[in-house]
Amino acid sequence: MKQVLETNGLVCPFPLVEAKDAIGGMDNGDELVINFDCTQATEAIPQWAAENGYPVTHFDRTGDASWTITVQKA
Amino acid sequence: MIITGLIVGLALGFVLQRGRFCVTGAFRDLTLTGNTRWFSALILLIAVHSIGLFLLNALGVISLEASPFPWLATIIGGLIFGFAIVLAGGCATGTYYRAGEGLVGSWFALIFYALTSAVMKLGPGASFTEGLRSITVESGTLQASTGLSPWVFVAILSAIAVWVTVRHNRKNTTPLATLPPLKTGLAHLLTEKRWNPFATAVVIGIIATIAWPLSAATGRNSGLGITTPSANLTGYLATGDASLVDWGVMLVIGILVGSFIAAKASGEFRIRVPDQATVVKSIVGGVGMGVGAAIAGGCTVGNAMVSTAQFEYQGWVATFFMIVGAGVAAKFTIKSGPRTGVAQPAESKVV
């Protein structure tokens, strides 16, 4: 299952705070797509994923200062 | 040659933006999540800066001056500033470089920060600030109170910095996810690649060290600083008094332009208008930042990077109380759970 979290317009740390909330309610193997436009989250979200052992299945730009990242709960 | 301030500012703005260097995040994470990664990077930065400053001092290139410790102002100002940066979403430099990235919330924070720092340093609040800062204890540094060589403290701090750096960089066994590269060579390194926070910290420590002799050569015997220059810039714009335009003013203009260049070159510049609640928080945060930093005698740069590197009590006490202030603000303003005040029917969907 895939869940999409729109955080555009939110500044850090809120994209990460919401991502943590969202992934908490998911099952192992589910994917969370986080769309964000806070530059610092390009560092904070991959770091959080790595620290928790969540694989990142997709990470790319979607335009000027906007990104999408897909984190799999594991 | 105050123009060297502009050049240092351009470099610093560029590095801050690319490195996503966020002292607010470092302080906030300590209490919000217990994560010490960015704070450890800050410790490394202070250690590098400390080695640089005492080396330049020993070589006679610069002369560090001892000053008394305004303890009461440092505590009160640190608390206010720490609380305010969480509301504003960035410390002094953070607000400058986010403004350069096109975040309108940071424009509000920056304008009010510059305004209230001028009010408290040059305007009607100046006598209050001076009164509070005149409550001091005599010896202002660790080396002065202990009679030990500053190099003892440089060595201790450096050892801690090496330890935390090694610890944090070993912890990550899985490599971090990175964006697919579209550039090569220097363009990739400077405007695309992810910068390790610890590498960024070393670069900032070196820039901060170079800054001091360049600033001293223009008659301003201090290093990086954001608050007083922001106040002076406001003062100049309001009065036309050109004597206020010094090396520091050029520095902060450079940071703004440098971060804009970095963001633009990396495809990370976009004008981003926040919602009402964020605008209000940014303004309140900006007001508190100017007041707090003026009273504390510095912000996350002047106190948490430069004063700490000289082992002044002002720097370390201010840093401690900024962390406390940031922790209190994080507790009140950052809650998990659904967003408040925002309609969110389509915010999270299952596909």
Side-chain angles (χ1 to χ4, degrees), chain B:
Chain B
M1 284 291 283
I2 59 170
I3 196 77
T4 59
L6 190 67
I7 296 165
V8 170
L10 286 171
L12 186 62
F14 195 97
V15 171
L16 288 167
Q17 197 280 334
R18 296 306 307 147
R20 287 87 168 92
F21 204 85
C22 182
V23 180
T24 305
F27 289 172
R28 185 189 59 209
D29 287 352
L30 286 180
T31 45
L32 191 66
T33 61
N35 188 320
T36 57
R37 184 175 171 81
W38 279 101
F39 187 73
S40 301
L42 177 66
I43 294 291
L44 178 64
L45 188 164
I46 299 167
V48 170
H49 192 28
S50 185
I51 294 169
L53 282 184
F54 283 104
L55 211 55
L56 291 179
N57 192 52
L59 293 170
V61 178
I62 61 171
S63 78
L64 300 175
E65 289 160 1
S67 46
F69 169 42
W71 61 274
L72 187 59
T74 304
I75 292 171
I76 295 172
L79 279 173
I80 296 172
F81 188 81
F83 191 90
I85 55 177
V86 170
L87 290 184
C91 61
T93 44
T95 298
Y96 266 93
Y97 85 73
R98 284 180 181 79
E101 286 180 339
L103 271 88
V104 175
S106 293
W107 297 0
F108 279 105
L110 183 56
I111 290 167
F112 280 90
Y113 163 55
L115 178 67
T116 53
S117 63
V119 169
M120 298 306 286
K121 278 179 161 286
L122 308 170
S127 55
F128 173 79
T129 305
E130 277 162 31
L132 203 57
R133 290 190 62 77
S134 65
I135 304 165
T136 58
V137 289
E138 221 14 77
S139 60
T141 62
L142 268 175
Q143 53 273 31
S145 343
T146 57
L148 293 168
S149 155
W151 288 104
V152 173
F153 303 106
V154 173
I156 295 170
L157 184 65
S158 303
I160 295 171
V162 169
W163 179 63
V164 293
T165 302
V166 170
R167 204 171 66 93
H168 275 282
N169 284 287
R170 273 194 189 153
K171 207 164 69 178
N172 262 354
T173 41
T174 20
L176 285 200
T178 51
L179 289 165
L182 301 172
K183 300 173 185 173
T184 53
L186 199 61
H188 171 68
L189 181 69
L190 290 179
T191 63
E192 186 172 63
K193 193 178 186 302
R194 167 191 175 265
W195 290 20
N196 182 303
F198 294 88
T200 307
V202 171
V203 174
I204 298 173
I206 293 169
I207 293 175
T209 303
I210 296 169
W212 195 301
L214 291 177
S215 172
T218 68
R220 177 183 173 276
N221 187 32
S222 56
L224 294 181
I226 309 294
T227 305
T228 307
S230 301
N232 287 344
L233 179 58
T234 309
Y236 166 69
L237 292 174
T239 64
D241 178 0
S243 70
L244 290 167
V245 181
D246 65 356
W247 193 91
V249 170
M250 301 307 275
L251 175 80
V252 293
I253 294 171
I255 292 173
L256 193 59
V257 177
S259 61
F260 168 73
I261 293 170
K264 195 77 192 161
S266 315
E268 294 177 351
F269 177 83
R270 185 160 53 86
I271 299 205
R272 281 160 273 184
V273 182
D275 59 15
Q276 289 176 11
T278 307
V279 171
V280 173
K281 275 205 292 185
S282 300
I283 291 173
V284 175
V287 167
M289 283 167 67
V291 173
I295 292 172
C299 56
T300 33
V301 173
N303 269 339
M305 294 180 193
V306 181
S307 183
T308 46
Q310 298 166 70
F311 304 108
E312 288 181 342
Y313 293 122
Q314 167 164 317
W316 290 100
V317 171
T319 301
F320 177 80
F321 283 97
M322 282 192 264
I323 293 168
V324 174
V328 173
K331 205 165 171 53
F332 283 113
T333 61
I334 303 170
K335 292 187 182 81
S336 51
R339 265 170 247 178
T340 48
V342 186
Q344 48 165 346
E347 305 253 308
S348 175
K349 58 180 184 285
V350 176
V351 290

